[in-house]
Amino acid sequence: MKPILLTRLRQQLAIGCLLGMILALPACRNLVSPQQHQPVTKNTELPTSALPPSHQQFQTDIPLLTEAHLQLEYWLDKTSAAEQRLLNPIDIERFNQHLIQTLPEVTDLFVAPDVYHATQIQKFILKVSHPSTNPRYFRSGVQLDRQHWLKLEQSLALSQIAAQVPLQFALVTRRGKLRSFPTAEPVYSHPAEQNLDRFQETAVFPGEALQVLHISLDQQWAFVRNYHYSGWLAREHIAMAPKSVVQQFANSSDFILVTGASASTNVSPELPAASAVQLDMGVKLPRVRHHDAVINGQNASFSYVVLLPIRQPNGQLQLVHALISRNQDLAQQYLPLTQANILRQSFKFLGERYGWGHDLNGRDCSGFIVQIYRSFGFILPRNTSSQGQAGFGAELRLTAASTTRQQRLVALKQAQAGDLIFIPGHVMLVLGQENGEIFVIHDVAGLRYYRADGSFYHSVLNGVSITPLSPLQKNPQHSYIDGIYMLKSIGRQLYDPQAD
């Protein structure tokens, strides 16, 4: 019996050891043969990824940036009166009306003539659709020549515009791209740089109201206007409807507002046109209060029910009930305009890829600002040239012609969270100040600055980024600070150093 018991004991030990090795039990580590055992010596270094987070060093090529700067609470703690309301809803509505009255590109779509003359339509189109004075290249590297431009001009079908054009309306059904010409083919400024599609203008979003002014030669594109821009939009993204229907939808006072970077309608195999529709920040859809218990195959108790525009096969509008789950970042009214909320909204895009003209399913610098402020009910102009234009908000002009660099630096010391800083072609949103340095959050492509050794560093950010202001360079000769021409605040007064 003893040999049998001994054999069984050995078998049990072997099985136990095998299990222990599988489960990485410490007791079995001593059974590894000396030849297989590789002890860790004092000189062995663990990879950074194996270290606890508190021992890992934050890696960045952005000067002065620390990991603490990437935390929203860090900046909220530095913002006095962060939760104080800057403007109430009535003030914001007055603000919007002022923009409509003073900026030609910002418009009330429903205050328009019922009929446009052909010359007016042509003027709208040619403001956007015209040959570039700079070289343009296809993705293949071929430069656009006169024949290419002529073909694009023909696609506009300007000769087919009737003498009198009845104004038509539509709602956007899916996020779509507004283009300079009725084509999806991209063009670039340089054959080696294919990130910025120069035919890309901006984007439109589900539920937006549009004026439809003209149709392209191939019948696949519509020339449209929204509240702050015009361009060519693929017709598959819009649904035509009477003005009264579009106006009632757009002006609904009971709505669900997307306050996250994006949300989506619930997946709905029963109604594909309403399934997983992307809804970006600032999109608002009328809320449905009375509805069936089950919508599109799902119980509606745990979602918001909204009216969603979809396109019928004949291009006409159909409004359907759709669900948006309550676990998403949503609101039932515009957010209060506070410095804290401005920062909260901006941080929701942190790290998103830069997209010129809302390309790459993202945003650019001015589009980033527009969508943040849409959360509060603002209808800001689309481009930096208009956003930086005098006429709205509290403004302080800081051009090199009117101020010295020292005056600009003094004025910038007064900048607070939520303020906007403009340089030619770019806008930044102030997060706050630390040790005399302004930090900004902005959607930006390039990263340029001088290193401590005097060498010039040129790299990319290509996304929504947090950076200090003073080290940044537009090029080796010009800094960001040298280029600042406007400091703007929406909701508070600004100190003017020239007044001293």
Side-chain angles (χ1 to χ4, degrees):
M1 295 296 293
K2 289 182 180 180
I4 295 175
L5 289 174
L6 182 61
T7 300
R8 289 179 178 175
L9 179 60
R10 287 173 176 171
Q11 290 174 342
Q12 290 174 354
L13 286 173
I15 293 172
C17 182
L18 178 61
L19 290 174
M21 291 174 65
I22 294 174
L23 297 175
L25 293 176
C28 280
R29 292 180 186 169
N30 294 328
L31 298 178
V32 178
S33 65
Q35 292 79 12
Q36 295 173 324
H37 184 53
Q38 298 293 333
V40 178
T41 65
K42 292 183 180 180
N43 294 328
T44 301
E45 294 184 0
L46 291 173
T48 302
S49 60
L51 295 173
S54 59
H55 294 281
Q56 294 182 22
Q57 186 176 3
F58 175 60
Q59 295 185 359
T60 181
D61 60 349
I62 300 171
L64 305 180
L65 185 71
T66 70
E67 195 165 13
H69 295 139
L70 308 185
Q71 306 302 315
L72 172 62
E73 293 300 324
Y74 182 85
W75 298 108
L76 293 181
D77 290 343
K78 291 179 173 291
T79 305
S80 60
E83 303 293 351
Q84 180 179 337
R85 189 186 286 266
L86 301 175
L87 293 175
N88 61 42
I90 295 176
D91 294 329
I92 293 174
E93 179 56 32
R94 289 173 179 163
F95 181 100
N96 290 340
Q97 290 303 314
H98 175 71
L99 262 62
I100 290 170
Q101 294 167 8
T102 58
L103 296 179
E105 60 269 44
V106 179
T107 184
D108 183 341
L109 296 177
F110 306 110
V111 181
D114 293 332
V115 176
Y116 278 119
H117 295 290
T119 53
Q120 291 176 292
I121 301 295
Q122 290 177 0
K123 183 178 179 181
F124 286 140
I125 293 174
L126 293 177
K127 184 177 180 180
V128 176
S129 308
H130 53 81
S132 174
T133 57
N134 297 312
R136 292 289 183 259
Y137 299 85
F138 293 115
R139 182 168 287 160
S140 63
V142 173
Q143 183 175 348
L144 276 71
D145 59 22
R146 180 56 185 160
Q147 292 303 313
H148 292 125
W149 288 114
L150 282 173
K151 186 176 180 180
L152 288 167
E153 289 174 342
Q154 290 170 1
S155 70
L156 307 178
L158 297 181
S159 62
Q160 297 183 12
I161 300 175
Q164 302 286 325
V165 180
L167 183 57
Q168 299 184 78
F169 286 86
L171 287 173
V172 178
T173 57
R174 294 261 176 170
R175 172 171 169 155
K177 299 178 179 182
L178 282 192
R179 308 281 291 165
S180 307
F181 287 90
T183 175
E185 187 170 19
V187 301
Y188 306 98
S189 298
H190 192 277
E193 183 182 351
Q194 298 192 357
N195 287 322
L196 276 62
D197 177 0
R198 295 299 178 174
F199 280 175
Q200 178 65 24
E201 295 287 344
T202 188
V204 292
F205 305 95
E208 279 192 21
L210 301 175
Q211 292 180 356
V212 180
L213 304 181
H214 186 49
I215 303 300
S216 64
L217 184 64
D218 64 6
Q219 301 291 302
Q220 300 302 306
W221 297 78
F223 188 83
V224 301
R225 297 177 71 196
N226 73 353
Y227 69 96
H228 67 180
Y229 218 84
S230 301
W232 293 94
L233 176 66
R235 295 177 73 183
E236 63 185 5
H237 294 285
I238 63 174
M240 306 296 295
K243 175 181 177 180
S244 59
V245 174
V246 173
Q247 187 170 12
Q248 183 179 4
F249 183 98
N251 293 338
S252 174
S253 58
D254 188 10
F255 55 81
I256 296 300
L257 174 75
V258 177
T259 48
S262 67
S264 65
T265 60
N266 293 6
V267 172
S268 174
E270 296 81 1
L271 186 59
S275 180
V277 177
Q278 179 177 324
L279 309 170
D280 291 72
M281 182 183 288
V283 167
K284 64 185 184 77
L285 296 171
R287 185 174 182 182
V288 178
R289 296 285 183 172
H290 303 286
H291 52 78
D292 296 335
V294 175
I295 294 176
N296 301 332
Q298 183 179 0
N299 192 291
S301 301
F302 314 103
S303 302
Y304 292 108
V305 183
V306 298
L307 273 183
L308 184 73
I310 65 173
R311 177 183 171 88
Q312 298 185 81
N314 64 359
Q316 296 301 302
L317 172 69
Q318 181 181 358
L319 294 176
V320 300
H321 291 183
L323 300 180
I324 306 178
S325 61
R326 289 174 179 257
N327 67 342
Q328 302 185 78
D329 194 341
L330 307 164
Q332 300 180 55
Q333 59 185 349
Y334 289 117
L335 298 178
L337 181 66
T338 66
Q339 289 180 310
N341 278 341
I342 294 172
L343 297 194
R344 289 185 184 112
Q345 293 306 98
S346 69
F347 261 76
K348 291 174 184 179
F349 290 115
L350 185 62
E352 179 185 77
R353 176 69 183 238
Y354 176 87
W356 169 267
H358 278 87
D359 205 0
L360 305 179
N361 205 37
R363 275 142 281 272
D364 55 23
C365 65
S366 55
F368 169 64
I369 299 300
V370 165
Q371 290 197 249
I372 290 170
Y373 276 87
R374 281 184 65 172
S375 305
F376 311 111
F378 287 95
I379 54 170
L380 296 185
R382 173 62 180 86
N383 291 334
T384 53
S385 56
S386 295
Q387 291 178 7
Q389 183 174 316
F392 69 92
E395 299 173 330
L396 187 57
R397 287 201 169 274
L398 300 171
T399 62
S402 62
T403 57
T404 65
R405 179 182 174 87
Q406 185 59 35
Q407 286 176 320
R408 286 196 295 280
L409 291 173
V410 171
L412 289 171
K413 295 295 183 184
Q414 313 303 316
Q416 295 184 16
D419 290 349
L420 304 177
I421 298 175
F422 292 88
I423 63 176
H426 192 54
V427 58
M428 300 162 278
L429 190 147
V430 175
L431 287 177
Q433 301 195 31
E434 180 184 70
N435 299 324
E437 177 63 53
I438 292 177
F439 281 79
V440 295
I441 183 169
H442 49 148
D443 208 341
V444 60
L447 174 64
R448 303 174 185 87
Y449 59 88
Y450 280 99
R451 295 188 179 98
D453 63 4
S455 61
F456 188 71
Y457 183 75
H458 183 188
S459 186
V460 297
L461 290 167
N462 266 346
V464 177
S465 311
I466 294 172
T467 66
L469 177 63
S470 64
L472 298 187
Q473 296 279 137
K474 287 290 290 182
N475 52 52
Q477 292 76 37
H478 300 97
S479 70
Y480 271 40
I481 288 181
D482 291 336
I484 293 172
Y485 68 88
M486 177 73 76
L487 176 63
K488 187 185 289 281
S489 181
I490 299 177
R492 72 179 193 87
Q493 295 300 312
L494 293 171
Y495 161 72
D496 186 352
Q498 300 176 82
D500 291 344

